[in-house]
Amino acid sequence: MLRVNEKLVLALPKGRILNEVMPVLRDVGIEPEAGFEDSDDRRLRFATNLPELDIIRIRSFDVATFVAFGGAHLGVCGNDVLLEFDYPEIYAPVDLGLGRCRLVVAEPEDMIGSDDPATWSSLRVATKYPTLTQAHFAGRGVQAECIKLNGAMELAPQLGLCRRIVDLVSTGNTLKANGLVEIEQIAAITSRLAVNRAAWKTRPDEIGHWITKFRGAVDGDAA
Ligand code: PRP
């Protein structure tokens, strides 16, 4: 699927995280064509100042899938997504330190005090991360039935889908605004540079160049 002379494709997540990614992109010398940062622009693929590199703007979960299947050679992806899919085709060598948040278990505040997580043997959870959630609970002998949602997990307890959720928390405002409280952390999350392993083997100089550049941007040298 990967052809040696084709343009390199870098997959970036749209939404909030893109604002954090842009300065890093500029640090490594990539300037997207006009329209890339305009969410009203319906194009998905953009040229850059570098003739050999294009950028695509997609959902964060899809960054991992495009990189794993070789549609994108490189991507920026949260380790929540990398852990959930655990694609063997992806190597994620650089922690970019962006999009810092945590994956947590939360429940309605009126359950706090009467609910002891140490006594759980099974539970139902609404989440975007069924694999991570099941693995987390299985690790301590708790069977988790996951209801897969793609967003607005915080509504699930008040509307009776379940009593607990597993979701990302950054400021904590969304949990608070919906009457929920964090009860345990599953993982600390940041975005990483993700690389397709086959692309790295077939185009080691170019991919290696970008790994060095992104690592340099994180470390603060002008690599
Ligand atoms: C994420 C997450 C929470 C919220 C947490 O959703 O799923 O809902 O951010 O952030 P906070 O702790 O700062 O309030 P996002 O806004 O990315 O949208 P999504 O529901 O479409 O994933």
Side-chain angles (χ1 to χ4, degrees):
M1 188 185 290
L2 292 158
R3 292 186 304 278
V4 173
N5 294 320
E6 70 190 355
K7 275 190 172 197
L8 282 183
V9 173
L10 169 66
L12 297 178
K14 61 182 185 179
R16 280 201 268 189
I17 186 77
L18 195 57
N19 297 332
E20 289 188 53
V21 174
M22 291 313 295
V24 178
L25 216 58
R26 294 194 167 112
D27 270 5
V28 300
I30 300 171
E31 184 61 51
E33 68 174 307
F36 179 72
E37 289 176 86
D38 176 3
S39 53
D40 290 334
D41 191 315
R42 302 309 298 161
R43 287 176 298 165
L44 300 169
R45 181 173 181 160
F46 296 83
T48 69
N49 57 320
L50 307 171
E52 69 279 12
L53 182 84
D54 279 357
I55 296 179
I56 58 173
R57 188 180 62 184
I58 54 182
R59 286 171 196 271
S60 64
F61 267 68
D62 295 336
V63 169
T65 305
F66 272 88
V67 173
F69 283 85
H73 306 83
L74 301 149
V76 172
C77 196
N79 62 327
D80 52 331
V81 176
L82 294 171
L83 289 166
E84 179 65 17
F85 285 122
D86 199 18
Y87 283 122
E89 298 86 355
I90 294 181
Y91 172 60
V94 185
D95 184 349
L96 299 171
L98 308 174
R100 211 170 274 282
C101 59
R102 34 194 214 284
L103 186 68
V104 308
V105 185
E107 66 183 19
E109 53 198 351
D110 58 17
M111 283 174 65
I112 300 294
S114 60
D115 185 32
D116 178 5
T119 63
W120 297 346
S121 60
S122 66
L123 76 173
R124 185 189 283 171
V125 183
T127 186
K128 228 195 250 194
Y129 304 91
T131 305
L132 265 175
T133 299
Q134 265 157 359
H136 169 73
F137 286 113
R140 60 171 205 251
V142 177
Q143 196 186 342
E145 179 197 343
C146 293
I147 301 174
K148 173 83 188 333
L149 292 176
N150 295 307
M153 260 72 64
E154 294 85 358
L155 277 175
Q158 58 177 279
L159 296 179
L161 274 68
C162 55
R163 294 201 292 171
R164 302 174 186 91
I165 67 167
V166 166
D167 196 12
L168 296 180
V169 172
S170 173
T171 61
N173 290 341
T174 310
L175 283 187
K176 196 160 184 239
N178 292 283
L180 300 171
V181 176
E182 173 181 340
I183 48 174
E184 60 188 38
Q185 177 169 317
I186 296 179
I189 308 298
T190 47
S191 290
R192 303 192 70 96
L193 179 69
V195 172
N196 177 279
R197 286 182 191 274
W200 198 28
K201 271 198 195 126
T202 53
R203 302 172 71 166
D205 294 345
E206 293 160 277
I207 303 285
H209 163 80
W210 287 115
I211 293 174
T212 305
K213 286 288 243 186
F214 276 94
R215 192 170 277 141
V218 173
D219 293 345
D221 19 290

